[in-house]
Amino acid sequence: MNGARGKRSYDQQCALAYALDVVGERWTLLVIRELLHGPRRYNQLLEALPGIGTNLLAARLAALVDAGLLTPTEPRKRTGGYQLTDLGRSLHEPILGLSRFGLAYAAGHELPSGATARASWAVLAIEAMVDDARTGEIDESYEFRVDDEIFHVDVRAGHAEVVAGPADAPSLTVRTDARSFFSLGMRQLDPIEALVSGQVAAVGVPAAVTRCLRLLGITPDVAVSTDRLADVGPAPV
Amino acid sequence: MNGARGKRSYDQQCALAYALDVVGERWTLLVIRELLHGPRRYNQLLEALPGIGTNLLAARLAALVDAGLLTPTEPRKRTGGYQLTDLGRSLHEPILGLSRFGLAYAAGHELPSGATARASWAVLAIEAMVDDARTGEIDESYEFRVDDEIFHVDVRAGHAEVVAGPADAPSLTVRTDARSFFSLGMRQLDPIEALVSGQVAAVGVPAAVTRCLRLLGITPDVAVSTDRLADVGPAPV
DNA sequence: CTGCATCCGCCTCGATACTG
DNA sequence: CAGTATCGAGGCGGATGCAG
């Protein structure tokens, strides 16, 4: 019954403080994260956010709708879901930025490992890892099958884009589970070891493996540190 | 008595969740924001973060040092300050991203206006507003004097950089107060009106005013309303 | 069955007082 | 100056109730 009264604010004329006034509370950015993949229903969100508590999710959703970051998909009916507005979608880049930091942080620390792993998180991680500056002259696509989630990365004209669903003619198809995938992203699992042990299976053009790893910034250490980007070294697989 | 025990975590294998486990709590990103400008002492932080409470600041600082984002400038003595590590500094981009969102959000909403305004926030706002894609063929610099804070933007070879201190030979010098400055950034104050009313004073090459405004994305009317989020979001079905 | 609202115990937060 | 100790208020998490 409070509505918008008593909102806690940093009360600073600062762009960052304004942002945190809106999306800085607990769970809020994770709700946005879920909606980045498309509209979701209340119960879908509840299931994707273990531990949030029903009242808190309802409160967050109401606040976000009120702030103009979300809209109900069907304003009248109660059966509809929620989707991001343009303003809400503009959090995509900041979320990717924070994700990059999250990967960098996790790379240097011990992970709880009791954490729940979902394949849909992997899409976000791939988006965060891909860097257009490392596309070089590549023009191909890589398909990922993390658990039962399928998506792919299209690299074309110096730009890499992550898209849901299978690829047309991927030069590489990577299959793994969500847990192994994140261990790779956090540099706590060496890609070569993962391939050998079978935690990750790669099918396609052998040289594409190297190119894909470089695009994701997880070249297995030895790696070329020179910025000369000749078309891939010989891949010893 | 808790120390580091019982740390509240989202417990998800997700890059964003990892990030928020570290910097997602209240005040944490604002502490990082303060340290982006250089080392700060405990009392400087207290003063820059009105309402934080001494125990909470101490707890946050300890947690951040423990997480490896901060280090005391003088490990032994208690008189030293705190500074960011490389890992902590990697939050610069995510913070700028959130700041861009904060400006976009504030542009469409009523601002409390009772908020405390500090000139040093303006540096961050400028960094967030500047976009290399809008530098064109410009090769000049703009100096800003917001309250008693002086900094400038160097534009050279398609890249814009925000630097502390006065510029060498600025083609434009802008003088204003923090409050007016943020009103400009939030598009709640028209730059032309601000110049006429004297809230903002500009000295230098007249044409540089237009170039500077365009670099900051606050051109008076033609208004690139959707220019900033050229994210090509395919409409959800 | 979905989409919340209510209640309750706990933990975090914010403010003040106090100490080395 | 740089924190620690303490305490009230409120946000959070979990269980349950209830209406459409």
Side-chain angles (χ1 to χ4, degrees):
Chain A
M1 183 58 77
N2 63 358
R5 204 57 60 117
K7 276 278 296 174
R8 183 178 286 183
S9 163
Y10 289 113
D11 215 46
Q12 297 184 355
Q13 286 223 6
C14 163
L16 178 63
Y18 286 141
L20 295 178
D21 278 342
V22 184
V23 298
E25 292 177 282
R26 190 163 166 79
W27 293 109
T28 302
L29 276 180
L30 295 187
V31 172
I32 308 281
R33 174 196 68 187
E34 288 306 308
L35 294 173
L36 281 178
H37 305 308
R40 292 292 130 102
R41 309 263 301 273
Y42 182 88
N43 275 354
Q44 294 180 286
L45 293 172
L46 256 193
E47 191 218 6
L49 272 27
I52 192 181
T54 66
N55 53 352
L56 196 52
L57 176 57
R60 291 287 184 269
L61 288 172
L64 288 173
V65 167
D66 196 61
L69 308 202
L70 265 55
T71 57
T73 54
E74 300 170 58
R76 292 284 136 192
K77 325 190 67 171
R78 326 163 351 108
T79 159
Y82 297 85
Q83 61 186 336
L84 293 178
T85 63
D86 285 346
L87 182 60
R89 238 187 316 276
S90 73
L91 281 166
H92 193 191
E93 279 303 316
I95 283 178
L96 289 186
L98 283 171
S99 299
R100 277 185 277 271
F101 167 79
L103 286 175
Y105 171 81
H109 292 74
E110 214 50 46
L111 76 113
S113 140
T116 72
R118 279 165 188 269
S120 66
W121 307 165
V123 180
L124 196 73
I126 288 282
E127 285 188 278
M129 296 167 75
V130 157
D131 184 353
D132 282 3
R134 287 191 300 249
T135 53
E137 297 297 323
I138 308 176
D139 182 2
E140 60 189 358
S141 61
Y142 315 111
E143 182 174 301
F144 293 86
R145 296 163 176 261
V146 182
D147 289 343
D148 50 356
E149 192 98 5
I150 302 181
F151 58 96
H152 65 280
V153 183
D154 274 324
V155 188
R156 194 172 45 245
H159 176 64
E161 192 174 6
V162 181
V163 188
D168 265 354
S171 48
L172 185 69
T173 298
V174 179
R175 183 161 222 332
T176 184
D177 61 301
R179 200 165 294 268
S180 301
F181 177 84
F182 276 103
S183 297
L184 278 173
M186 294 184 284
R187 291 161 178 77
Q188 294 183 347
L189 173 61
D190 186 85
I192 294 181
E193 293 179 23
L195 285 169
V196 172
S197 71
Q199 292 176 74
V200 176
V203 179
V205 183
V209 177
T210 311
R211 292 195 292 268
C212 180
L213 285 176
R214 203 165 57 99
L215 177 66
L216 299 181
I218 50 176
T219 64
D221 63 42
V222 184
V224 287
S225 58
T226 64
D227 30 34
R228 167 87 49 187
L229 38 93
D231 248 46
V232 170
V237 178
Chain B
M1 180 58 78
N2 61 1
R5 202 58 60 119
K7 273 278 296 175
R8 183 177 287 183
S9 163
Y10 290 112
D11 216 44
Q12 297 184 355
Q13 285 224 7
C14 163
L16 178 62
Y18 287 141
L20 294 178
D21 278 342
V22 185
V23 298
E25 292 177 283
R26 190 165 166 78
W27 293 110
T28 303
L29 275 180
L30 294 187
V31 172
I32 307 283
R33 174 196 70 185
E34 288 306 308
L35 295 173
L36 281 177
H37 304 308
R40 292 293 130 101
R41 312 261 299 272
Y42 183 88
N43 274 355
Q44 295 180 285
L45 293 173
L46 259 192
E47 190 216 7
L49 271 29
I52 191 180
T54 64
N55 53 352
L56 197 51
L57 177 58
R60 292 288 183 269
L61 288 172
L64 289 173
V65 168
D66 196 61
L69 310 203
L70 264 57
T71 56
T73 54
E74 299 171 58
R76 290 287 136 191
K77 326 189 69 170
R78 329 164 347 108
T79 161
Y82 297 86
Q83 61 187 337
L84 292 178
T85 64
D86 285 345
L87 182 60
R89 238 187 317 277
S90 73
L91 281 165
H92 193 191
E93 278 305 315
I95 283 178
L96 290 186
L98 284 171
S99 299
R100 276 185 279 271
F101 167 80
L103 287 175
Y105 171 81
H109 292 74
E110 214 50 47
L111 75 113
S113 137
T116 71
R118 278 165 190 270
S120 65
W121 307 166
V123 181
L124 196 72
I126 288 281
E127 285 188 279
M129 297 168 74
V130 157
D131 184 352
D132 282 4
R134 287 190 299 248
T135 53
E137 297 297 324
I138 309 174
D139 182 2
E140 59 189 358
S141 60
Y142 315 111
E143 182 173 300
F144 293 86
R145 296 162 176 261
V146 182
D147 288 343
D148 51 355
E149 192 97 5
I150 302 181
F151 57 96
H152 64 281
V153 183
D154 274 326
V155 187
R156 195 171 44 243
H159 176 63
E161 192 173 7
V162 181
V163 188
D168 266 356
S171 49
L172 185 69
T173 298
V174 179
R175 187 163 216 332
T176 183
D177 63 301
R179 199 165 294 267
S180 302
F181 177 84
F182 277 102
S183 298
L184 278 173
M186 295 185 280
R187 291 157 178 79
Q188 294 181 348
L189 173 61
D190 185 85
I192 295 180
E193 293 180 23
L195 285 168
V196 172
S197 71
Q199 291 175 76
V200 175
V203 180
V205 183
V209 177
T210 311
R211 292 195 292 269
C212 180
L213 286 176
R214 203 167 54 97
L215 178 66
L216 299 181
I218 49 177
T219 60
D221 53 50
V222 184
V224 274
S225 55
T226 55
D227 165 326
R228 190 88 224 10
L229 347 155
D231 234 36
V232 186
V237 180

